[in-house]
Each structure stands twice: as C-alpha cells, then as structure tokens.
Amino acid sequence: MQVRVQQEGFDLGAESDGFAARVSGVGAIVTFTGVVRDADAGGLVAMEIEHYPAMTQKALEAIAAEARARWSLADALVIHRYGRLAPGERIMMVATAARHRKHAFEAAEYLMDYLKSRAPFWKKEILTDGRAGWVDAKADDEDALSRW
Amino acid sequence: MQVRVQQEGFDLGAESDGFAARVSGVGAIVTFTGVVRDADAGGLVAMEIEHYPAMTQKALEAIAAEARARWSLADALVIHRYGRLAPGERIMMVATAARHRKHAFEAAEYLMDYLKSRAPFWKKEILTDGRAGWVDAKADDEDALSRW
Amino acid sequence: MDVVYFAWVRERIGVPREQVESEAATVTDLVAELSAREERYAAAFSDLSSLRVALDQELSDFEAPLAGVREVAFFPPMTGG
Amino acid sequence: MDVVYFAWVRERIGVPREQVESEAATVTDLVAELSAREERYAAAFSDLSSLRVALDQELSDFEAPLAGVREVAFFPPMTGG
C-alpha cells in the first residue's frame, strides 16, 4: 500500500505502470485521476489546496487500509497533492487491484468518496476577476458515504 | 473516441498518459485494466481469446458511443486483445473522462459490463494438466446489464 | 449464405465457416435444417438457450427472418472483458 | 494546548495556530470561551454545523472531552479528492 501527500506533480503513466507491475494474482486494476477543471461559472486561474500536514498522511492511510481490508485488495495507491494548481493539472489519483472487477471498482469509488469528505484538504478557487472562494462541501458528497 | 482490437500487448502507462493528455475540461479520468489471472482452481498455462473479426470493432464502437452519449464523456478509450495470453498479461483496458467522478466511474463500469456480455470474444483456459475449457458466461455478468 | 461458428460451437461443428444453400425463412428453420443433415450440427444446436446468433454481424434472435442476410454467426454467450 | 485553524476558519481568526491556556472540559466549552474573548472567534464559530473538529489529528465532535488533548483543530467540512 502506498500513500503519498505531495506538492509536486505525479506521472500518471509511470504510477499506473508501477502499480500494475507490483500486483500479482489480480484480474482487475482501476485507476481514478482527479483533474482541476474550470469553475462552473468559468474563469478559474488557480486552485489552492490547503491541508493539515500532521493529520493528512494518517487519515489517508486509514482510509486506504479500510478499503484494502474490505475488498481484499491486492494493493491500493493514493497520491494527493496540495498547493497551487492550474486548470488541467492533476490533483490526485487512486489505484486499486483485486481479483474481480466489481471489487476493484467499488474500492476505488469508496476511496474517492472518503477522500472527498474525510481527508483534511480544503480547496480555494482563484478567479480571473480577482475573486477567490473556498469550495463548499457538497451534501451529495457527504451522502455518498452512507452507501458504504 | 478510440477503439482498438489487437493481438499485441499495450502499454498501460503510455495509453493512460495519452488519453489524459487528449481530454480537456474534465475533472475525472477512470481507467480499468483486465489482467489474465490464474484459474479459480489454479494451474492456468494460457488464456486463448477468440473473437469475431468482422463484428468486434463495430460492436465495441457501438458500446463506446452509447457510453459516451449517455454520460456526456469528453472521451472514451477501449483496447481489447485476442490470441494466446499468459497469466499476468493484460487483456484489455478502458478509459473514460468526464466532468464529474460519478459519471466517469459509471461509464467505465457500463463499458466493462457490456464488453463482458455483448462483445464477441470467447475465452478458453489451457491448464497445466492438459485440460482446456471454454470459460462459461456468468449469470451475474448478464444480470449486471439490467442495471443500466 | 455464409455461416460462421465460434468457440465450442466451431469445435463441435468442426469448421469455422461454410457456405450453406438454404431456403430457411428464420434462424430456427436454418438450425432445424442443419441439425437434420448431420449429427455434429444436432449436437452443437441441442440447447438453443446456450447459443447466440448474429445476422450480418449484429446480435439477433432465433425468430429473426433470414431474407437478405449474407452471414449468420452462431456462438456461445460472449465472455469479453 | 495548541489550537490550529484551516481554510476560512483560519482566515477569519487570522492565525493558523496558537497556544491557548484553557480549563475547558469539552470542545463546546472551548468554543464558548474563545468566542467570549474576541469577536473574530465569535464570527468563526457562529455556526458550528459548518465546522468540524479534530483532536490530536483524529476527527471528533464538539461534545468530546479535552482532557489530555494536545492539539485541537477547527476547519470547515473537508473537500479533498
């Protein structure tokens, strides 16, 4: 299991290859990559991601360990960035590997749902017109946790 | 949209990077990779994948086009191999890109469910003890289609 | 018309493809005609619920008419992915 | 104990971290104590339903006791991923 919290970018291809090369006996590998997209109203200059360094690594490891146990994953990977990111930059990725596709998909969605609402990150959108605002947590994201 | 049916292997990292580089305006990229895993009872020497060349490309394109329209995907990728594969080799991959993670995940699962039961591929397991047998379609896989 | 077979259907019938002269109106009629010709067809077509059919490379069903069809394919349920 | 703030809570209070001397028994007591001290705390803590609290880097709740706790963190609902 690998959990990394970092400011620098990551290489999606190399991470995917490395993850796939490390697992054996699996039939299914799922990756999810989160990308900074433009604000819903447009005009995004940057996304600033703040986190709680003393807590982040520990919180992500607990989430990944829970997913791994629950779906008997062969392995799980979580990478999450912080700092200032431009539109189109990759924010984070997860990867899961399991014998069956349903388990790999479910575990990846579980990781994403928990990262969204239980990992100590906060996003601020910086807009072209000079405004800036913290992204509100969505009720949908909180509700998503209830399915697990 | 890219759909490829091929005998040779594919480079998961390069395909993931290439796909991610081609899409813009998205927030979520999901990939699924299928790997030849050992038979449930063990002893798999090879998996032979037969297909219906005149139909395969067309069937995969129809499935990918339906997924793309249904979830407003920015793009979709399907690669599926045929021929003789050893345990641990990659059989196929799909990738989806959408604004929101739920759509990217659902579309990838839809692609997989339809590839499993509606794309003209058949798998034969060659075992160490000399036996060989066609993999039966699972009722579960057929049932999975009813959720879409 | 051309008739093509895949996976264990191909193995039981013994050829991957053949030309068939037939006036069969539907797939079911064609299946009955072939099964009456030789045992290997009867064996391959003994349980239609375990077979699928495609007409000109489109999934179809056993009641479909064959008029104008150039290629009929018989195979077991697909196992892609 | 150390008290740390993130996102708009940090911005309203004006510092990311401070040492607080307090005999508060629970998080709610600490919030009341700080809110009584200065307006900026009252503003940041005006709606507890929009706040989350972690004690020694573990998510907790406002009724939790503070005995033995070294670091209290206040922040809005998380938006990772």
Side-chain angles (χ1 to χ4, degrees), chain A residues 21-72:
Chain A
R22 281 195 303 275
V23 294
S24 64
V26 303
I29 297 169
V30 169
T31 72
F32 178 94
T33 307
V35 179
V36 180
R37 63 163 194 275
D38 206 350
D40 286 331
L44 185 78
V45 175
M47 174 83 85
E48 284 179 1
I49 302 179
E50 178 172 339
H51 78 124
Y52 182 0
M55 179 175 171
T56 315
Q57 181 80 21
K58 198 161 73 165
L60 295 183
E61 283 176 5
I63 293 169
E66 174 67 20
R68 192 170 178 180
R70 215 154 147 165
W71 284 280
S72 306

Side-chain angles (χ1 to χ4, degrees), chain A residues 1-6 51-68 76-82 91-94 110-121, chain D residues 57-59 78-81:
Chain A
M1 205 168 77
Q2 251 193 59
V3 171
R4 275 150 46 202
V5 183
Q6 60 189 48
H51 78 124
Y52 182 0
M55 179 175 171
T56 315
Q57 181 80 21
K58 198 161 73 165
L60 295 183
E61 283 176 5
I63 293 169
E66 174 67 20
R68 192 170 178 180
L77 167 71
V78 176
I79 300 172
H80 205 302
R81 297 175 66 189
Y82 58 88
I91 305 173
M92 49 73 61
M93 77 172 284
V94 303
Y110 173 94
L111 284 174
M112 288 309 304
D113 285 350
Y114 271 82
L115 289 184
K116 280 274 168 195
S117 304
R118 291 291 182 273
F121 292 96
Chain D
Q57 300 93 43
E58 293 277 356
L59 272 181
M78 294 157 274
T79 54

